[in-house]
Amino acid sequence: MTRNPNMREAILSAAEILFSTKGFNAVSIRDIALEAGANAGSVTYHFKSKDGLLLEIYKRHCGPMNKRRIELLVAAKRVRDVQDRLEAIVRAYVQPAFSSSSDLAGGGARFTRLRAVMSAEGNAVVGRIIAEIFDDTTNAFIEAIEQSLPHLPRKTLVWRSQFLLGALYYTLVNPERVTRLSRGEADGADMAEAIEQLVSATVASLQAPDVNHFPGSQPASAAAAPAKAVNRKNARTDSSTK
């Protein structure tokens, strides 16, 4: 391959492509250098290690996105009506993920795919990077949602925020599935529609009653106990009739 005069950017782009398709563990510095038209020494010169390279990829995509999220969150928290405020908070989280899709070469879908692959690998290095890049921003959103839904425990809101993240990943990575399954009635690539659908579904999810506090409900472990007792009783009855 011919050498790219902007070697640092070439290495970043090559690593992003490889990490998003093969994962972090399966890609070597040599692989990245070959894809970038560089030598392995150039990779370590610019980024020290594969870990440093992945951290830089996250920073260049997520820095602007997180900054925009916080700007929108500050405005959302000023909304007086509680229902409108909750919708504004969720939109403040969702919208920058879509609007950032054209900020860099390769777009948001490729980076979102990389994030999904990294999360699935369960690599400790990746876990540290994700915590460093996202935890402060995510906590700010969870706290804002808590203020709008004070009757729900934080653990429930954390679960539901996690579900939002999964929906966001899949919406960005696989928009054609929406088009196919709707038989063409919906356009999965319509970002404005995707944002509104995701915000509406997430707000409804956040406002749902807590699973442990339905009227007459009981914890899953307690509900399971009578069923186990019945099963044991039935087992004794069956054995006595044999």
Side-chain angles (χ1 to χ4, degrees), residues 49-89:
S49 65
K50 197 169 70 163
D51 298 0
L53 182 50
L54 183 62
L55 176 60
E56 186 61 29
I57 290 171
Y58 269 83
K59 282 182 175 179
R60 75 170 184 158
H61 279 280
C62 300
M65 181 173 68
N66 284 340
K67 181 174 182 292
R68 183 59 179 154
R69 279 175 167 168
I70 293 300
E71 289 171 352
L72 292 174
L73 177 62
V74 170
K77 289 168 70 175
R78 297 196 190 106
V79 176
R80 302 187 69 135
D81 181 81
V82 175
Q83 178 70 21
D84 292 344
R85 186 193 317 141
L86 182 60
E87 291 180 9
I89 290 168

Side-chain angles (χ1 to χ4, degrees), residues 33 39 46 62 64 70-71 80 90 99 103 106 140 161 173 192 199 226 231:
N39 58 58
H46 287 290
C62 300
I70 293 300
E71 289 171 352
R80 302 187 69 135
V90 174
S99 60
D103 287 350
S161 299
V173 170
V199 169
N231 289 338

Side-chain angles (χ1 to χ4, degrees), residues 5-217:
N6 193 343
M7 189 54 67
R8 189 175 190 277
E9 285 300 312
I11 292 168
L12 279 169
S13 180
E16 188 173 324
I17 290 169
L18 293 174
F19 290 156
S20 67
T21 54
K22 298 182 178 180
F24 183 75
N25 297 329
V27 175
S28 68
I29 286 180
R30 178 187 287 272
D31 295 332
I32 296 166
L34 182 63
E35 179 73 23
N39 58 58
S42 294
V43 178
T44 54
Y45 172 77
H46 287 290
F47 303 101
K48 307 301 181 186
S49 65
K50 197 169 70 163
D51 298 0
L53 182 50
L54 183 62
L55 176 60
E56 186 61 29
I57 290 171
Y58 269 83
K59 282 182 175 179
R60 75 170 184 158
H61 279 280
C62 300
M65 181 173 68
N66 284 340
K67 181 174 182 292
R68 183 59 179 154
R69 279 175 167 168
I70 293 300
E71 289 171 352
L72 292 174
L73 177 62
V74 170
K77 289 168 70 175
R78 297 196 190 106
V79 176
R80 302 187 69 135
D81 181 81
V82 175
Q83 178 70 21
D84 292 344
R85 186 193 317 141
L86 182 60
E87 291 180 9
I89 290 168
V90 174
R91 187 172 283 104
Y93 186 85
V94 170
Q95 187 172 334
F98 286 85
S99 60
S100 68
S101 65
S102 58
D103 287 350
L104 297 165
R110 187 175 73 188
F111 178 63
T112 301
R113 187 177 296 109
L114 181 150
R115 289 173 62 189
V117 171
M118 296 297 101
S119 297
E121 279 192 337
N123 186 293
V125 171
V126 175
R128 288 196 298 271
I129 289 174
I130 290 173
E132 178 178 341
I133 296 295
F134 289 108
D135 278 10
D136 287 346
T137 302
T138 302
N139 275 316
F141 273 89
I142 291 172
E143 287 162 9
I145 293 169
E146 279 186 295
Q147 292 170 10
S148 296
L149 299 170
H151 60 288
L152 291 174
R154 182 181 176 87
K155 69 173 185 177
T156 295
L157 297 178
V158 169
W159 272 114
R160 294 173 184 180
S161 299
Q162 188 81 343
F163 301 153
L164 165 60
L165 188 58
L168 184 57
Y169 277 167
Y170 203 75
T171 302
L172 284 166
V173 170
N174 198 7
E176 63 275 9
R177 193 166 191 267
V178 172
T179 306
R180 185 177 71 253
L181 292 178
S182 69
R183 298 174 180 171
E185 293 184 14
D187 179 6
D190 184 340
M191 292 192 295
E193 176 72 8
I195 290 169
E196 293 310 311
Q197 292 286 358
L198 191 50
V199 169
S200 177
T202 301
V203 168
S205 167
L206 288 169
Q207 292 178 317
D210 182 35
V211 293
N212 292 317
H213 291 84
F214 282 109
S217 69

